[in-house]
PDB file of all heavy atoms in Angstrom:
ATOM      1  N   SER A 252     -10.975 -17.835  11.878  1.00  0.00           N
ATOM      2  CA  SER A 252     -11.040 -19.036  12.707  1.00  0.00           C
ATOM      3  C   SER A 252      -9.969 -20.040  12.268  1.00  0.00           C
ATOM      4  O   SER A 252      -9.286 -20.641  13.105  1.00  0.00           O
ATOM      5  CB  SER A 252     -12.446 -19.625  12.575  1.00  0.00           C
ATOM      6  OG  SER A 252     -12.559 -20.767  13.355  1.00  0.00           O
ATOM      7  N   GLN A 260      -1.691 -16.080  14.680  1.00  0.00           N
ATOM      8  CA  GLN A 260      -2.441 -15.168  15.544  1.00  0.00           C
ATOM      9  C   GLN A 260      -2.676 -13.820  14.864  1.00  0.00           C
ATOM     10  O   GLN A 260      -3.721 -13.204  15.024  1.00  0.00           O
ATOM     11  CB  GLN A 260      -1.733 -14.994  16.895  1.00  0.00           C
ATOM     12  CG  GLN A 260      -2.609 -14.370  17.973  1.00  0.00           C
ATOM     13  CD  GLN A 260      -3.983 -15.057  18.114  1.00  0.00           C
ATOM     14  OE1 GLN A 260      -4.068 -16.273  18.250  1.00  0.00           O
ATOM     15  NE2 GLN A 260      -5.055 -14.261  18.040  1.00  0.00           N
ATOM     16  N   TYR A 267     -10.602 -11.404  11.909  1.00  0.00           N
ATOM     17  CA  TYR A 267     -11.764 -11.129  12.780  1.00  0.00           C
ATOM     18  C   TYR A 267     -12.182  -9.657  12.603  1.00  0.00           C
ATOM     19  O   TYR A 267     -13.369  -9.350  12.498  1.00  0.00           O
ATOM     20  CB  TYR A 267     -11.460 -11.417  14.257  1.00  0.00           C
ATOM     21  CG  TYR A 267     -11.554 -12.887  14.637  1.00  0.00           C
ATOM     22  CD1 TYR A 267     -10.486 -13.544  15.247  1.00  0.00           C
ATOM     23  CD2 TYR A 267     -12.721 -13.620  14.388  1.00  0.00           C
ATOM     24  CE1 TYR A 267     -10.564 -14.894  15.586  1.00  0.00           C
ATOM     25  CE2 TYR A 267     -12.805 -14.965  14.724  1.00  0.00           C
ATOM     26  CZ  TYR A 267     -11.726 -15.603  15.322  1.00  0.00           C
ATOM     27  OH  TYR A 267     -11.804 -16.933  15.649  1.00  0.00           O
ATOM     28  N   LEU A 361      -0.069  -9.646  -0.375  1.00  0.00           N
ATOM     29  CA  LEU A 361       0.424 -10.731  -1.239  1.00  0.00           C
ATOM     30  C   LEU A 361       1.848 -10.461  -1.713  1.00  0.00           C
ATOM     31  O   LEU A 361       2.650 -11.382  -1.842  1.00  0.00           O
ATOM     32  CB  LEU A 361      -0.520 -10.933  -2.430  1.00  0.00           C
ATOM     33  CG  LEU A 361      -1.825 -11.661  -2.083  1.00  0.00           C
ATOM     34  CD1 LEU A 361      -2.778 -11.664  -3.271  1.00  0.00           C
ATOM     35  CD2 LEU A 361      -1.566 -13.102  -1.623  1.00  0.00           C
ATOM     36  N   ILE A 367       9.454 -11.152   1.183  1.00  0.00           N
ATOM     37  CA  ILE A 367      10.050 -11.723   2.393  1.00  0.00           C
ATOM     38  C   ILE A 367      10.314 -13.221   2.217  1.00  0.00           C
ATOM     39  O   ILE A 367      11.296 -13.751   2.731  1.00  0.00           O
ATOM     40  CB  ILE A 367       9.155 -11.449   3.634  1.00  0.00           C
ATOM     41  CG1 ILE A 367       8.874  -9.944   3.761  1.00  0.00           C
ATOM     42  CG2 ILE A 367       9.808 -11.963   4.912  1.00  0.00           C
ATOM     43  CD1 ILE A 367       7.897  -9.558   4.840  1.00  0.00           C
ATOM     44  N   ASP A 384      -1.145  -4.671  11.614  1.00  0.00           N
ATOM     45  CA  ASP A 384      -2.134  -4.113  10.698  1.00  0.00           C
ATOM     46  C   ASP A 384      -3.544  -4.198  11.272  1.00  0.00           C
ATOM     47  O   ASP A 384      -4.353  -3.296  11.069  1.00  0.00           O
ATOM     48  CB  ASP A 384      -2.066  -4.894   9.383  1.00  0.00           C
ATOM     49  CG  ASP A 384      -2.040  -3.968   8.191  1.00  0.00           C
ATOM     50  OD1 ASP A 384      -1.366  -2.930   8.292  1.00  0.00           O
ATOM     51  OD2 ASP A 384      -2.692  -4.290   7.191  1.00  0.00           O
ATOM     52  N   PRO A 392     -12.367   5.998   3.983  1.00  0.00           N
ATOM     53  CA  PRO A 392     -12.211   6.402   2.581  1.00  0.00           C
ATOM     54  C   PRO A 392     -12.918   7.711   2.255  1.00  0.00           C
ATOM     55  O   PRO A 392     -12.603   8.357   1.260  1.00  0.00           O
ATOM     56  CB  PRO A 392     -12.834   5.236   1.802  1.00  0.00           C
ATOM     57  CG  PRO A 392     -13.680   4.489   2.763  1.00  0.00           C
ATOM     58  CD  PRO A 392     -13.085   4.731   4.118  1.00  0.00           C
TER      59      PRO A 392
END
Side-chain angles (χ1 to χ4, degrees):
S252 180
Q260 195 50 52
Y267 279 125
L361 284 173
I367 306 174
D384 227 39

